[in-house]
């Protein structure tokens, strides 16, 4: 293996580790922010996004949850599970 190719691999692995670290640090803040935005702007009761006759009214919950795992049951669950999957694939 050429030394230049090896250096490119090392740099790319370090970039991936840095990205994963940034994702892990920002996960709680992203969950709180997304949950706040969805509740504050009442997105799931907005007729632009949801047909009233097809769904029941969404009753919002608290902005802040006591644990990070509680965000799995909120509107920010997509971001929560996505970041957890990327971290677990990296660890695998």
């Amino acid at each position: 293996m050429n030394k230049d190719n090896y250096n490119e691999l090392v740099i790319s692995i370090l970039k991936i580790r840095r990205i994963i670290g940034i994702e892990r640090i920002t996960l709680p803040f992203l969950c709180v922010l997304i949950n706040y935005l969805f509740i504050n702007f009442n997105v799931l009761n907005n007729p632009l996004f949801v047909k009233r006759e097809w769904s029941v009214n969404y009753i919002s919950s608290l902005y802040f949850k006591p644990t990070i795992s509680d965000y799995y049951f909120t509107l920010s669950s997509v971001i929560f599970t996505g970041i957890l999957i990327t971290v677990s694939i990296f660890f695998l």
Side-chain angles (χ1 to χ4, degrees), residues 63-81:
Y63 296 128
F64 298 105
K65 301 292 181 186
T67 64
I68 190 72
S69 300
D70 287 333
Y71 284 100
Y72 179 76
F73 300 104
T74 64
L75 299 169
S76 59
S77 65
V78 175
I79 297 293
F80 179 77
T81 55

Side-chain angles (χ1 to χ4, degrees), residues 16-82:
I16 290 172
R17 288 176 60 192
R18 187 170 291 130
I19 290 170
I20 296 294
I22 290 169
E23 284 180 351
R24 289 176 56 199
I25 290 170
T26 60
L27 174 65
F29 303 110
L30 284 174
C31 288
V32 170
L33 178 70
I34 290 171
N35 196 30
Y36 173 78
L37 291 175
F38 270 84
I39 291 172
N40 195 28
F41 292 116
N42 204 12
V43 172
L44 291 182
N45 289 326
N46 191 340
L48 293 174
F49 299 108
V50 178
K51 286 199 172 265
R52 293 264 188 207
E53 53 274 353
W54 291 357
S55 65
V56 295
N57 280 342
Y58 174 75
I59 300 170
S60 62
S61 61
L62 298 172
Y63 296 128
F64 298 105
K65 301 292 181 186
T67 64
I68 190 72
S69 300
D70 287 333
Y71 284 100
Y72 179 76
F73 300 104
T74 64
L75 299 169
S76 59
S77 65
V78 175
I79 297 293
F80 179 77
T81 55

Side-chain angles (χ1 to χ4, degrees), residues 79-91:
I79 297 293
F80 179 77
T81 55
I83 290 178
L84 287 181
I85 288 170
T86 58
V87 169
S88 63
I89 287 173
F90 176 73
F91 283 146

